Amino acid sequence: PASAKAGTALLFLLFAFAFGIRILYLFDLRSYPYFDYIVPAFDHINFDVAATNFAKGDLLAHATNNKYAPLYKYFLGVIYWLCGRNFYVVYSIQFAMGALASVLVYLIARDVFGTRAAIFAFLGFALHSTEIIYEGIILREAFVTFWGIASLFLLSRLQTAWSTGK
């Protein structure tokens, strides 16, 4: 009970730290003159067009290039449908996913290597500049990274449940 509350508080603080770093990046990113402009020659345009089409009712989310990351197009499409084409919302959600992934990295590392290593693993992921940059653009990389880490976390829990019979 008391230790469970302390553990939950620690996880919340870890999330808040990682999310706070990302929000600071967002405040800096919004001053960039091309914050809400997607270069037509980049892959980003395919995801943006597909998400826009999905939000308008195109259930197949058509874009010029439909070969990559169909789930990401639908993820963006749902955000566009609910909130409009608002990059603050998109990036905030992706940053929240990155912050949660940082906490999951902590939990995985704690179970495998102990608390000290988990803190370093958390800091390494939470402050990894390339990850933060990818979370702040319309690309599937942040989405794929989050689901990869979430899958590893769930697999680690499955193995624990399997071995303990719970």
Side-chain angles (χ1 to χ4, degrees), residues 77-153:
V78 168
I79 295 172
Y80 284 15
W81 180 65
L82 292 172
C83 303
R85 187 176 177 265
N86 185 333
F87 291 128
Y88 288 105
V89 173
V90 171
Y91 298 155
S92 294
I93 291 171
Q94 290 184 171
F95 286 147
M97 291 170 67
L100 181 57
S102 300
V103 173
L104 295 178
V105 165
Y106 168 82
L107 291 170
I108 294 165
R110 184 193 67 191
D111 291 348
V112 176
F113 301 108
T115 304
R116 184 178 304 155
I119 293 292
F120 284 110
F122 166 80
L123 289 172
F125 191 84
L127 299 173
H128 189 251
S129 61
T130 306
E131 177 63 26
I132 295 170
I133 289 167
Y134 276 125
E135 292 168 9
I137 54 179
I138 303 288
L139 274 180
R140 65 191 174 272
E141 278 73 4
F143 192 70
V144 170
T145 301
F146 171 77
W147 287 112
I149 292 171
S151 297
L152 181 60
F153 173 75

